[in-house]
Amino acid sequence: MKKRQITIEEFLSYTPIKPGVVHIHQGLVYKHAPNSLEIANAINDAKADPVFKYITVPKSVLFLDDIYFGYTTKFQSNLHIVEDAEYLGIITDINEYIWKLIQIIEKLNKLNMCYWDFHRNNIYSDNKGNPFILDIDDIRVNPTDLHLYHQIKYLTEYLLNLYLGQEKTIIHLLKNDDFRTHISKGTIAYLESLIKRTGTTIEFPHKVIDELSNPYKRELIKSKIK
């Protein structure tokens, strides 16, 4: 991975995607992320692993004089928001997509990394319907139990919203009487364990996936909680 010097003037001269944070120039994305050096180096060291076909890999790290500034990545022109990929028929089975995402997260954990910032602007689909993690800033190296707890909590919340077409927290869903009526007691107990904020690691959300993988069940719940 290259080490590159950059100036503020150069960075700001490039086309902004998110002004002052993400700019693009000649097929490269420039990200101002001053706390990302550890993860950029860790990914560079592990990038030969096949899992990094599905995760942004830095091409260079950027320094402003001797101060770390951020990194560059290749612009990914083949990515789609997950809902769009479903509509276009790129994702033909949402359960298969979710299972692939779980495998990516588990593989990262085995590499001693933890990703937890799950939301629709970070998790995409490529042209073959595979998950792709776009933003690496919130990957943690040598994660603690608290990091792993947040990983499961926000992954579960992301999957619930993906299945149900919502943008709600777990707490908001649990406050919905119609949701509680049509979801199993086991799944409710699992979700309640996630909002107790104990900070202890919790198992992956297989109960949620098993229940909402049934298209009839999730369409029923979607119709009730609108």
Side-chain angles (χ1 to χ4, degrees), residues 18 22 32 144 151:
K18 188 176 180 181
V22 182
H32 178 214
T144 64
Q151 173 182 255

Side-chain angles (χ1 to χ4, degrees), residues 173-189:
L173 284 170
L174 286 174
K175 288 180 178 179
N176 187 299
D177 290 338
D178 289 318
F179 176 79
R180 295 183 70 97
T181 297
H182 292 92
I183 208 83
S184 71
K185 291 181 179 179
T187 296
I188 289 174

Side-chain angles (χ1 to χ4, degrees), residues 52 55 104-113 115:
F52 289 104
I55 302 169
I104 290 168
I105 300 308
E106 290 180 328
K107 181 60 176 176
L108 272 179
N109 289 169
K110 289 179 181 178
L111 293 172
N112 207 25
M113 301 180 196
Y115 183 84

Side-chain angles (χ1 to χ4, degrees), residues 202-220:
I202 296 174
E203 66 182 27
F204 274 78
H206 297 298
K207 288 183 175 66
V208 174
I209 295 170
D210 288 345
E211 188 157 8
L212 294 181
S213 64
N214 183 326
Y216 303 105
K217 182 66 170 287
R218 65 175 178 262
E219 288 304 319
L220 173 63

Side-chain angles (χ1 to χ4, degrees), residues 68-104:
Y68 178 70
F69 182 83
Y71 56 86
T72 67
T73 63
K74 178 183 177 182
F75 177 69
Q76 301 288 340
S77 61
N78 65 332
L79 300 183
H80 310 268
I81 292 173
V82 174
E83 301 96 294
D84 292 345
E86 285 190 274
Y87 177 78
L88 294 169
I90 295 169
I91 295 175
T92 57
D93 185 340
I94 192 61
N95 295 315
E96 182 180 355
Y97 174 88
I98 287 170
W99 175 239
K100 288 178 181 178
L101 178 61
I102 294 290
Q103 290 178 308
I104 290 168

Side-chain angles (χ1 to χ4, degrees), residues 39 51 80-81 94 113-114 121 130 134-135 142 149 161 168 171 185 196 199-200 205 214 222:
I39 187 57
V51 75
H80 310 268
I81 292 173
I94 192 61
M113 301 180 196
C114 169
N121 293 319
N130 297 308
L134 193 61
D135 193 353
N142 301 317
Y149 162 76
N161 285 320
K168 291 185 171 64
I171 291 174
K185 291 181 179 179
K196 289 180 180 178
T200 55
N214 183 326
K222 284 167 70 173

